[in-house]
Amino acid sequence: MKLSRLLLIILNLLLVTGSIYADDMDRKNCLALAKFGESAMKARQRGISIIDMHKAVEKEPEPVKKIMESIINEAFDFPIYKNLEYADVVASEYSNQFYKICISKE
């Protein structure tokens, strides 16, 4: 699934579930999505398993949990890079794409 499609699904989920209202969809929420995306990708790049990552979010409220799991799952569509410096760049770019797409929907 393309990142922009994933983000649109996430934003719709947030609005439908009422976990954020349209008026609250601001840069702060976009930043939170982007930061979680970066964390998920860094964990992926460092070899953390998808199972462990899903366990880490299992106690979140259901709508939030679904969003976090979607971001985690998307991160696992990327290969692991052996060069940690490059892996950090990939994580940063993953985060930047979430943020860019999110703020364009404001």
Side-chain angles (χ1 to χ4, degrees):
M1 182 182 309
K2 286 189 170 183
L3 192 57
S4 59
R5 181 168 155 72
L6 173 65
L7 189 56
L8 287 174
I9 291 168
I10 289 169
L11 293 174
N12 286 331
L13 259 174
L14 290 170
L15 292 171
V16 169
T17 62
S19 60
I20 16 184
Y21 301 99
D23 293 343
D24 294 333
M25 180 52 76
D26 57 11
R27 290 180 191 270
K28 182 175 74 175
N29 294 320
C30 293
L31 185 59
L33 282 174
K35 285 189 177 285
F36 183 76
E38 183 173 20
S39 295
M41 182 59 79
K42 282 184 175 181
R44 162 70 174 142
Q45 292 299 317
R46 281 153 180 80
I48 306 298
S49 76
I50 194 169
I51 294 167
D52 288 342
M53 291 172 71
H54 277 256
K55 283 181 184 176
V57 300
E58 70 186 2
K59 292 185 180 180
E60 295 293 333
E62 196 58 36
V64 174
K65 178 181 158 189
K66 285 183 180 181
I67 292 163
M68 295 173 110
E69 287 175 341
S70 294
I71 291 170
I72 291 166
N73 292 343
E74 178 77 14
F76 276 80
D77 287 342
F78 288 78
I80 293 177
Y81 298 99
K82 298 206 184 276
N83 179 322
L84 286 182
E85 185 176 319
Y86 187 68
D88 285 342
V89 170
V90 169
S92 179
E93 286 303 310
Y94 188 69
S95 172
N96 289 339
Q97 288 303 309
F98 268 107
Y99 188 76
K100 181 181 169 186
I101 294 165
C102 184
I103 62 170
S104 72
K105 304 299 177 202
E106 289 183 334

